PDB file of all heavy atoms in Angstrom:
ATOM      1  N   SER Q   1     153.883  45.069  92.156  1.00 98.00           N
ATOM      2  CA  SER Q   1     152.974  44.737  93.236  1.00 98.00           C
ATOM      3  C   SER Q   1     153.697  43.910  94.278  1.00 98.00           C
ATOM      4  O   SER Q   1     154.586  43.121  93.955  1.00 98.00           O
ATOM      5  CB  SER Q   1     151.768  43.945  92.716  1.00 98.00           C
ATOM      6  OG  SER Q   1     151.011  44.695  91.798  1.00 98.00           O
ATOM      7  N   CYS Q   2     153.305  44.087  95.525  1.00 97.00           N
ATOM      8  CA  CYS Q   2     153.845  43.312  96.638  1.00 97.00           C
ATOM      9  C   CYS Q   2     152.678  42.817  97.472  1.00 97.00           C
ATOM     10  O   CYS Q   2     152.042  43.604  98.182  1.00 97.00           O
ATOM     11  CB  CYS Q   2     154.790  44.169  97.476  1.00 97.00           C
ATOM     12  SG  CYS Q   2     155.405  43.355  98.967  1.00 97.00           S
ATOM     13  N   ALA Q   3     152.386  41.533  97.375  1.00 97.00           N
ATOM     14  CA  ALA Q   3     151.260  40.945  98.086  1.00 97.00           C
ATOM     15  C   ALA Q   3     151.739  40.227  99.338  1.00 97.00           C
ATOM     16  O   ALA Q   3     152.569  39.315  99.256  1.00 97.00           O
ATOM     17  CB  ALA Q   3     150.508  39.974  97.180  1.00 97.00           C
ATOM     18  N   ALA Q   4     151.219  40.625 100.476  1.00 97.00           N
ATOM     19  CA  ALA Q   4     151.553  39.993 101.746  1.00 97.00           C
ATOM     20  C   ALA Q   4     150.465  39.005 102.133  1.00 97.00           C
ATOM     21  O   ALA Q   4     149.275  39.284 101.984  1.00 97.00           O
ATOM     22  CB  ALA Q   4     151.719  41.045 102.841  1.00 97.00           C
ATOM     23  N   SER Q   5     150.871  37.856 102.636  1.00 96.00           N
ATOM     24  CA  SER Q   5     149.911  36.841 103.053  1.00 96.00           C
ATOM     25  C   SER Q   5     150.418  36.127 104.296  1.00 96.00           C
ATOM     26  O   SER Q   5     151.599  36.188 104.620  1.00 96.00           O
ATOM     27  CB  SER Q   5     149.650  35.832 101.929  1.00 96.00           C
ATOM     28  OG  SER Q   5     150.838  35.135 101.595  1.00 96.00           O
ATOM     29  N   GLY Q   6     149.514  35.427 104.970  1.00 95.00           N
ATOM     30  CA  GLY Q   6     149.865  34.710 106.179  1.00 95.00           C
ATOM     31  C   GLY Q   6     149.197  35.310 107.394  1.00 95.00           C
ATOM     32  O   GLY Q   6     148.110  35.868 107.310  1.00 95.00           O
ATOM     33  N   SER Q   7     149.850  35.172 108.535  1.00 92.00           N
ATOM     34  CA  SER Q   7     149.308  35.679 109.797  1.00 92.00           C
ATOM     35  C   SER Q   7     149.611  37.163 109.930  1.00 92.00           C
ATOM     36  O   SER Q   7     150.646  37.551 110.470  1.00 92.00           O
ATOM     37  CB  SER Q   7     149.889  34.897 110.974  1.00 92.00           C
ATOM     38  OG  SER Q   7     149.576  33.515 110.886  1.00 92.00           O
ATOM     39  N   ILE Q   8     148.698  37.973 109.435  1.00 94.00           N
ATOM     40  CA  ILE Q   8     148.880  39.420 109.430  1.00 94.00           C
ATOM     41  C   ILE Q   8     147.797  40.095 110.250  1.00 94.00           C
ATOM     42  O   ILE Q   8     146.611  39.945 109.956  1.00 94.00           O
ATOM     43  CB  ILE Q   8     148.857  39.970 107.997  1.00 94.00           C
ATOM     44  CG1 ILE Q   8     149.977  39.350 107.161  1.00 94.00           C
ATOM     45  CG2 ILE Q   8     148.977  41.495 108.014  1.00 94.00           C
ATOM     46  CD1 ILE Q   8     149.904  39.689 105.696  1.00 94.00           C
ATOM     47  N   PHE Q   9     148.216  40.823 111.267  1.00 94.00           N
ATOM     48  CA  PHE Q   9     147.286  41.647 112.020  1.00 94.00           C
ATOM     49  C   PHE Q   9     147.235  43.049 111.421  1.00 94.00           C
ATOM     50  O   PHE Q   9     146.165  43.606 111.203  1.00 94.00           O
ATOM     51  CB  PHE Q   9     147.655  41.707 113.509  1.00 94.00           C
ATOM     52  CG  PHE Q   9     146.734  42.569 114.320  1.00 94.00           C
ATOM     53  CD1 PHE Q   9     145.490  42.104 114.693  1.00 94.00           C
ATOM     54  CD2 PHE Q   9     147.099  43.852 114.702  1.00 94.00           C
ATOM     55  CE1 PHE Q   9     144.625  42.895 115.436  1.00 94.00           C
ATOM     56  CE2 PHE Q   9     146.248  44.652 115.442  1.00 94.00           C
ATOM     57  CZ  PHE Q   9     145.001  44.169 115.812  1.00 94.00           C
ATOM     58  N   SER Q  10     148.397  43.601 111.154  1.00 93.00           N
ATOM     59  CA  SER Q  10     148.472  44.903 110.522  1.00 93.00           C
ATOM     60  C   SER Q  10     149.840  45.083 109.881  1.00 93.00           C
ATOM     61  O   SER Q  10     150.826  44.509 110.325  1.00 93.00           O
ATOM     62  CB  SER Q  10     148.200  46.031 111.517  1.00 93.00           C
ATOM     63  OG  SER Q  10     149.206  46.079 112.518  1.00 93.00           O
ATOM     64  N   ILE Q  11     149.871  45.877 108.835  1.00 93.00           N
ATOM     65  CA  ILE Q  11     151.120  46.234 108.177  1.00 93.00           C
ATOM     66  C   ILE Q  11     151.474  47.655 108.603  1.00 93.00           C
ATOM     67  O   ILE Q  11     150.755  48.598 108.280  1.00 93.00           O
ATOM     68  CB  ILE Q  11     150.994  46.141 106.650  1.00 93.00           C
ATOM     69  CG1 ILE Q  11     150.665  44.702 106.245  1.00 93.00           C
ATOM     70  CG2 ILE Q  11     152.272  46.618 105.977  1.00 93.00           C
ATOM     71  CD1 ILE Q  11     150.454  44.516 104.756  1.00 93.00           C
ATOM     72  N   ILE Q  12     152.566  47.778 109.327  1.00 93.00           N
ATOM     73  CA  ILE Q  12     152.968  49.060 109.867  1.00 93.00           C
ATOM     74  C   ILE Q  12     153.558  49.954 108.781  1.00 93.00           C
ATOM     75  O   ILE Q  12     153.286  51.156 108.718  1.00 93.00           O
ATOM     76  CB  ILE Q  12     153.980  48.892 111.011  1.00 93.00           C
ATOM     77  CG1 ILE Q  12     153.410  47.942 112.080  1.00 93.00           C
ATOM     78  CG2 ILE Q  12     154.340  50.240 111.620  1.00 93.00           C
ATOM     79  CD1 ILE Q  12     152.093  48.389 112.666  1.00 93.00           C
ATOM     80  N   ALA Q  13     154.369  49.351 107.929  1.00 95.00           N
ATOM     81  CA  ALA Q  13     155.000  50.103 106.856  1.00 95.00           C
ATOM     82  C   ALA Q  13     155.404  49.154 105.743  1.00 95.00           C
ATOM     83  O   ALA Q  13     155.602  47.957 105.969  1.00 95.00           O
ATOM     84  CB  ALA Q  13     156.221  50.866 107.368  1.00 95.00           C
ATOM     85  N   MET Q  14     155.534  49.693 104.559  1.00 95.00           N
ATOM     86  CA  MET Q  14     155.955  48.902 103.420  1.00 95.00           C
ATOM     87  C   MET Q  14     156.869  49.752 102.556  1.00 95.00           C
ATOM     88  O   MET Q  14     156.666  50.964 102.428  1.00 95.00           O
ATOM     89  CB  MET Q  14     154.745  48.416 102.621  1.00 95.00           C
ATOM     90  CG  MET Q  14     155.076  47.540 101.424  1.00 95.00           C
ATOM     91  SD  MET Q  14     153.583  46.816 100.676  1.00 95.00           S
ATOM     92  CE  MET Q  14     153.196  45.539 101.876  1.00 95.00           C
ATOM     93  N   GLY Q  15     157.870  49.116 101.980  1.00 96.00           N
ATOM     94  CA  GLY Q  15     158.792  49.860 101.153  1.00 96.00           C
ATOM     95  C   GLY Q  15     159.362  49.024 100.023  1.00 96.00           C
ATOM     96  O   GLY Q  15     159.243  47.801 100.006  1.00 96.00           O
ATOM     97  N   TRP Q  16     159.977  49.715  99.093  1.00 98.00           N
ATOM     98  CA  TRP Q  16     160.644  49.089  97.965  1.00 98.00           C
ATOM     99  C   TRP Q  16     162.117  49.453  97.983  1.00 98.00           C
ATOM    100  O   TRP Q  16     162.481  50.625  98.125  1.00 98.00           O
ATOM    101  CB  TRP Q  16     160.024  49.531  96.642  1.00 98.00           C
ATOM    102  CG  TRP Q  16     158.640  49.004  96.424  1.00 98.00           C
ATOM    103  CD1 TRP Q  16     157.472  49.601  96.755  1.00 98.00           C
ATOM    104  CD2 TRP Q  16     158.301  47.759  95.815  1.00 98.00           C
ATOM    105  NE1 TRP Q  16     156.409  48.810  96.387  1.00 98.00           N
ATOM    106  CE2 TRP Q  16     156.889  47.676  95.811  1.00 98.00           C
ATOM    107  CE3 TRP Q  16     159.039  46.716  95.268  1.00 98.00           C
ATOM    108  CZ2 TRP Q  16     156.209  46.577  95.284  1.00 98.00           C
ATOM    109  CZ3 TRP Q  16     158.367  45.623  94.746  1.00 98.00           C
ATOM    110  CH2 TRP Q  16     156.970  45.564  94.762  1.00 98.00           C
ATOM    111  N   TYR Q  17     162.953  48.444  97.843  1.00 98.00           N
ATOM    112  CA  TYR Q  17     164.392  48.612  97.718  1.00 98.00           C
ATOM    113  C   TYR Q  17     164.819  48.096  96.355  1.00 98.00           C
ATOM    114  O   TYR Q  17     164.102  47.339  95.705  1.00 98.00           O
ATOM    115  CB  TYR Q  17     165.133  47.834  98.800  1.00 98.00           C
ATOM    116  CG  TYR Q  17     164.936  48.366 100.203  1.00 98.00           C
ATOM    117  CD1 TYR Q  17     163.754  48.148 100.896  1.00 98.00           C
ATOM    118  CD2 TYR Q  17     165.953  49.082 100.838  1.00 98.00           C
ATOM    119  CE1 TYR Q  17     163.576  48.628 102.180  1.00 98.00           C
ATOM    120  CE2 TYR Q  17     165.789  49.563 102.126  1.00 98.00           C
ATOM    121  CZ  TYR Q  17     164.595  49.330 102.791  1.00 98.00           C
ATOM    122  OH  TYR Q  17     164.435  49.810 104.071  1.00 98.00           O
ATOM    123  N   ARG Q  18     166.000  48.501  95.922  1.00 98.00           N
ATOM    124  CA  ARG Q  18     166.540  47.940  94.694  1.00 98.00           C
ATOM    125  C   ARG Q  18     168.028  47.680  94.838  1.00 98.00           C
ATOM    126  O   ARG Q  18     168.726  48.363  95.580  1.00 98.00           O
ATOM    127  CB  ARG Q  18     166.264  48.833  93.485  1.00 98.00           C
ATOM    128  CG  ARG Q  18     166.963  50.185  93.487  1.00 98.00           C
ATOM    129  CD  ARG Q  18     166.490  51.004  92.300  1.00 98.00           C
ATOM    130  NE  ARG Q  18     167.115  52.311  92.229  1.00 98.00           N
ATOM    131  CZ  ARG Q  18     166.753  53.267  91.384  1.00 98.00           C
ATOM    132  NH1 ARG Q  18     165.759  53.049  90.518  1.00 98.00           N
ATOM    133  NH2 ARG Q  18     167.386  54.437  91.380  1.00 98.00           N
ATOM    134  N   GLN Q  19     168.468  46.652  94.126  1.00 97.00           N
ATOM    135  CA  GLN Q  19     169.860  46.230  94.153  1.00 97.00           C
ATOM    136  C   GLN Q  19     170.343  46.022  92.727  1.00 97.00           C
ATOM    137  O   GLN Q  19     169.813  45.180  92.005  1.00 97.00           O
ATOM    138  CB  GLN Q  19     170.015  44.926  94.939  1.00 97.00           C
ATOM    139  CG  GLN Q  19     171.427  44.412  95.025  1.00 97.00           C
ATOM    140  CD  GLN Q  19     172.075  44.724  96.344  1.00 97.00           C
ATOM    141  OE1 GLN Q  19     171.562  44.347  97.402  1.00 97.00           O
ATOM    142  NE2 GLN Q  19     173.193  45.423  96.306  1.00 97.00           N
ATOM    143  N   ALA Q  20     171.310  46.807  92.321  1.00 96.00           N
ATOM    144  CA  ALA Q  20     171.915  46.680  91.002  1.00 96.00           C
ATOM    145  C   ALA Q  20     173.326  46.126  91.155  1.00 96.00           C
ATOM    146  O   ALA Q  20     173.973  46.342  92.181  1.00 96.00           O
ATOM    147  CB  ALA Q  20     171.943  48.024  90.292  1.00 96.00           C
ATOM    148  N   PRO Q  21     173.831  45.413  90.147  1.00 90.00           N
ATOM    149  CA  PRO Q  21     175.185  44.868  90.220  1.00 90.00           C
ATOM    150  C   PRO Q  21     176.220  45.943  90.511  1.00 90.00           C
ATOM    151  O   PRO Q  21     176.230  46.994  89.870  1.00 90.00           O
ATOM    152  CB  PRO Q  21     175.398  44.256  88.835  1.00 90.00           C
ATOM    153  CG  PRO Q  21     174.023  43.915  88.370  1.00 90.00           C
ATOM    154  CD  PRO Q  21     173.159  45.025  88.895  1.00 90.00           C
ATOM    155  N   GLY Q  22     177.070  45.695  91.491  1.00 92.00           N
ATOM    156  CA  GLY Q  22     178.114  46.630  91.836  1.00 92.00           C
ATOM    157  C   GLY Q  22     177.673  47.821  92.659  1.00 92.00           C
ATOM    158  O   GLY Q  22     178.485  48.710  92.930  1.00 92.00           O
ATOM    159  N   LYS Q  23     176.411  47.851  93.047  1.00 94.00           N
ATOM    160  CA  LYS Q  23     175.899  48.968  93.824  1.00 94.00           C
ATOM    161  C   LYS Q  23     175.302  48.497  95.144  1.00 94.00           C
ATOM    162  O   LYS Q  23     174.900  47.339  95.281  1.00 94.00           O
ATOM    163  CB  LYS Q  23     174.833  49.731  93.040  1.00 94.00           C
ATOM    164  CG  LYS Q  23     175.345  50.415  91.778  1.00 94.00           C
ATOM    165  CD  LYS Q  23     174.240  51.221  91.120  1.00 94.00           C
ATOM    166  CE  LYS Q  23     174.747  51.947  89.890  1.00 94.00           C
ATOM    167  NZ  LYS Q  23     173.667  52.743  89.248  1.00 94.00           N
ATOM    168  N   GLN Q  24     175.251  49.397  96.093  1.00 94.00           N
ATOM    169  CA  GLN Q  24     174.628  49.107  97.378  1.00 94.00           C
ATOM    170  C   GLN Q  24     173.109  49.069  97.230  1.00 94.00           C
ATOM    171  O   GLN Q  24     172.537  49.770  96.393  1.00 94.00           O
ATOM    172  CB  GLN Q  24     175.015  50.167  98.407  1.00 94.00           C
ATOM    173  CG  GLN Q  24     176.493  50.209  98.759  1.00 94.00           C
ATOM    174  CD  GLN Q  24     176.908  49.030  99.591  1.00 94.00           C
ATOM    175  OE1 GLN Q  24     176.220  48.632 100.532  1.00 94.00           O
ATOM    176  NE2 GLN Q  24     178.051  48.453  99.266  1.00 94.00           N
ATOM    177  N   ARG Q  25     172.474  48.255  98.051  1.00 96.00           N
ATOM    178  CA  ARG Q  25     171.029  48.238  98.080  1.00 96.00           C
ATOM    179  C   ARG Q  25     170.532  49.587  98.599  1.00 96.00           C
ATOM    180  O   ARG Q  25     171.066  50.121  99.580  1.00 96.00           O
ATOM    181  CB  ARG Q  25     170.523  47.105  98.974  1.00 96.00           C
ATOM    182  CG  ARG Q  25     169.008  47.006  99.060  1.00 96.00           C
ATOM    183  CD  ARG Q  25     168.582  45.828  99.905  1.00 96.00           C
ATOM    184  NE  ARG Q  25     168.983  44.566  99.299  1.00 96.00           N
ATOM    185  CZ  ARG Q  25     168.795  43.370  99.849  1.00 96.00           C
ATOM    186  NH1 ARG Q  25     168.205  43.289 101.034  1.00 96.00           N
ATOM    187  NH2 ARG Q  25     169.199  42.280  99.225  1.00 96.00           N
ATOM    188  N   GLU Q  26     169.541  50.136  97.942  1.00 97.00           N
ATOM    189  CA  GLU Q  26     169.029  51.433  98.346  1.00 97.00           C
ATOM    190  C   GLU Q  26     167.517  51.416  98.498  1.00 97.00           C
ATOM    191  O   GLU Q  26     166.815  50.667  97.811  1.00 97.00           O
ATOM    192  CB  GLU Q  26     169.426  52.515  97.326  1.00 97.00           C
ATOM    193  CG  GLU Q  26     168.800  52.352  95.957  1.00 97.00           C
ATOM    194  CD  GLU Q  26     169.036  53.537  95.040  1.00 97.00           C
ATOM    195  OE1 GLU Q  26     169.246  54.665  95.552  1.00 97.00           O
ATOM    196  OE2 GLU Q  26     169.011  53.347  93.809  1.00 97.00           O
ATOM    197  N   LEU Q  27     167.039  52.256  99.386  1.00 97.00           N
ATOM    198  CA  LEU Q  27     165.607  52.430  99.549  1.00 97.00           C
ATOM    199  C   LEU Q  27     165.093  53.308  98.422  1.00 97.00           C
ATOM    200  O   LEU Q  27     165.558  54.430  98.233  1.00 97.00           O
ATOM    201  CB  LEU Q  27     165.294  53.071 100.901  1.00 97.00           C
ATOM    202  CG  LEU Q  27     163.826  53.425 101.162  1.00 97.00           C
ATOM    203  CD1 LEU Q  27     162.969  52.168 101.226  1.00 97.00           C
ATOM    204  CD2 LEU Q  27     163.691  54.230 102.448  1.00 97.00           C
ATOM    205  N   VAL Q  28     164.122  52.802  97.686  1.00 98.00           N
ATOM    206  CA  VAL Q  28     163.532  53.536  96.577  1.00 98.00           C
ATOM    207  C   VAL Q  28     162.353  54.370  97.052  1.00 98.00           C
ATOM    208  O   VAL Q  28     162.240  55.555  96.733  1.00 98.00           O
ATOM    209  CB  VAL Q  28     163.083  52.576  95.459  1.00 98.00           C
ATOM    210  CG1 VAL Q  28     162.400  53.344  94.330  1.00 98.00           C
ATOM    211  CG2 VAL Q  28     164.273  51.796  94.918  1.00 98.00           C
ATOM    212  N   ALA Q  29     161.460  53.735  97.797  1.00 98.00           N
ATOM    213  CA  ALA Q  29     160.266  54.413  98.283  1.00 98.00           C
ATOM    214  C   ALA Q  29     159.711  53.674  99.478  1.00 98.00           C
ATOM    215  O   ALA Q  29     159.847  52.459  99.589  1.00 98.00           O
ATOM    216  CB  ALA Q  29     159.202  54.501  97.183  1.00 98.00           C
ATOM    217  N   GLY Q  30     159.067  54.407 100.380  1.00 97.00           N
ATOM    218  CA  GLY Q  30     158.457  53.809 101.542  1.00 97.00           C
ATOM    219  C   GLY Q  30     157.146  54.490 101.873  1.00 97.00           C
ATOM    220  O   GLY Q  30     156.937  55.660 101.529  1.00 97.00           O
TER     221      GLY Q  30
END
């Protein structure tokens, strides 16, 4: 889960990235 809080008018897009040791950060899903 990813909960956003604060001064939010709208969320245009949301995504998940992952970072493993020795690997580049990659986009998992958006």
Side-chain angles (χ1 to χ4, degrees):
S1 298
C2 175
S5 62
S7 300
I8 300 172
F9 179 78
S10 65
I11 299 177
I12 306 302
M14 182 172 285
W16 291 92
Y17 292 75
R18 66 185 180 188
Q19 180 101 57
K23 295 184 178 180
Q24 295 288 316
R25 180 177 296 177
E26 66 171 334
L27 175 65
V28 177

